[in-house]
Amino acid sequence: MKRRTTLLSLFSLLSVSTGCLGNASSGNSPFPKRVSVQQTDSVPERYPVDLTLDIVQAELTKTQTAHLKTTAKNTGEATREFEPAYYKGASSRAGDSGILLYSLRAPDSPPADYAPDCIGSDGKSQGELRWSNEYSGTETLEPGESSSEELIVVDDPTVRGCIPTGEYRFEDPYNISDESGYDETFTWGFTLRVDDVSTEQTQ
């Protein structure tokens, strides 16, 4: 079966110049914040997979980040190979810069107890975005079987502001194997929103 050899393009991720504003507010933003799912794409009917995104831990504070869960479920009648519903990426790849998502099993993921390391500094602890280009691989799923990834929200060091508020789009080409072992691909994604908790409470 033909497979992608890399999940992310380092060059496209580094196209965001250091210090650009994106949709971020300047300086450090107040904490706590909350992440919510604004929209998830539907899967075209011809593909035997259900892709979902759920919030595991919504709140971002000075000592913790938000956790999400993506799930891929085989809705067909045959055993096939499926990619993770979402593995990792930067919001800049499909929209405004500001946040990154990592699967906790990615070799370059921060730990599960990651806290935003831009808090208490001049806004950033590093100046450029670095990714490993490892491939996540596929998983064989029986009919009705599913596989999940836990993702964490991480600050994007290439923009001002510490996990800036706003809406962030994530999407990737998604591959599954057909019954002959060849890849079938479509684009799947979702939109997240980051809000100040204090702002939510006053609305």
Side-chain angles (χ1 to χ4, degrees):
M1 179 178 75
K2 117 185 126 160
R3 298 181 180 175
R4 292 180 297 163
T5 57
T6 60
L7 182 66
L8 298 171
S9 168
L10 182 63
F11 298 106
S12 65
L13 289 170
L14 291 176
S15 64
V16 181
S17 61
T18 300
C20 73
L21 288 174
N23 67 344
S25 57
S26 61
N28 285 328
S29 303
F31 279 78
K33 302 182 185 210
R34 187 175 301 277
V35 173
S36 58
V37 179
Q38 294 297 292
Q39 176 268 337
T40 56
D41 293 354
S42 58
V43 175
E45 289 185 7
R46 67 181 294 256
Y47 298 105
V49 63
D50 184 28
L51 303 175
T52 57
L53 172 69
D54 297 296
I55 300 290
V56 175
Q57 175 175 286
E59 196 162 280
L60 295 125
T61 71
K62 294 180 180 181
T63 59
Q64 71 177 33
T65 191
H67 288 234
L68 315 174
K69 183 176 75 170
T70 56
T71 302
K73 181 179 181 180
N74 182 354
T75 59
E77 298 179 352
T79 300
R80 295 191 182 196
E81 291 189 16
F82 295 82
E83 289 188 327
Y86 197 88
Y87 187 62
K88 68 178 184 179
S91 60
S92 61
R93 297 184 69 214
D96 291 326
S97 305
I99 59 174
L100 316 175
L101 293 179
Y102 286 90
S103 166
L104 284 177
R105 73 181 179 93
D108 53 351
S109 174
D113 61 355
Y114 164 89
D117 57 2
C118 45
I119 297 174
S121 68
D122 61 356
K124 293 297 155 188
S125 61
Q126 61 189 84
E128 61 182 297
L129 178 57
R130 298 173 185 265
W131 293 85
S132 67
N133 285 335
E134 89 289 343
Y135 176 55
S136 62
T138 58
E139 186 168 352
T140 301
L141 298 179
E142 302 288 340
E145 190 177 9
S146 62
S147 176
S148 296
E149 296 283 325
E150 186 168 358
L151 308 175
I152 60 172
V153 177
V154 176
D155 181 66
D156 183 342
T158 66
V159 298
R160 297 178 60 125
C162 191
I163 306 187
T165 57
E167 289 194 358
Y168 298 101
R169 173 71 180 171
F170 292 86
E171 64 181 37
D172 259 337
Y174 184 80
N175 289 349
I176 63 174
S177 67
D178 65 15
E179 293 178 347
S180 300
Y182 291 95
D183 283 349
E184 295 182 295
T185 303
F186 60 92
T187 298
W188 184 77
F190 48 86
T191 302
L192 300 178
R193 182 172 181 83
V194 177
D195 289 295
D196 293 327
V197 171
S198 56
T199 302
E200 287 183 336
Q201 293 172 343
T202 58
Q203 289 179 346

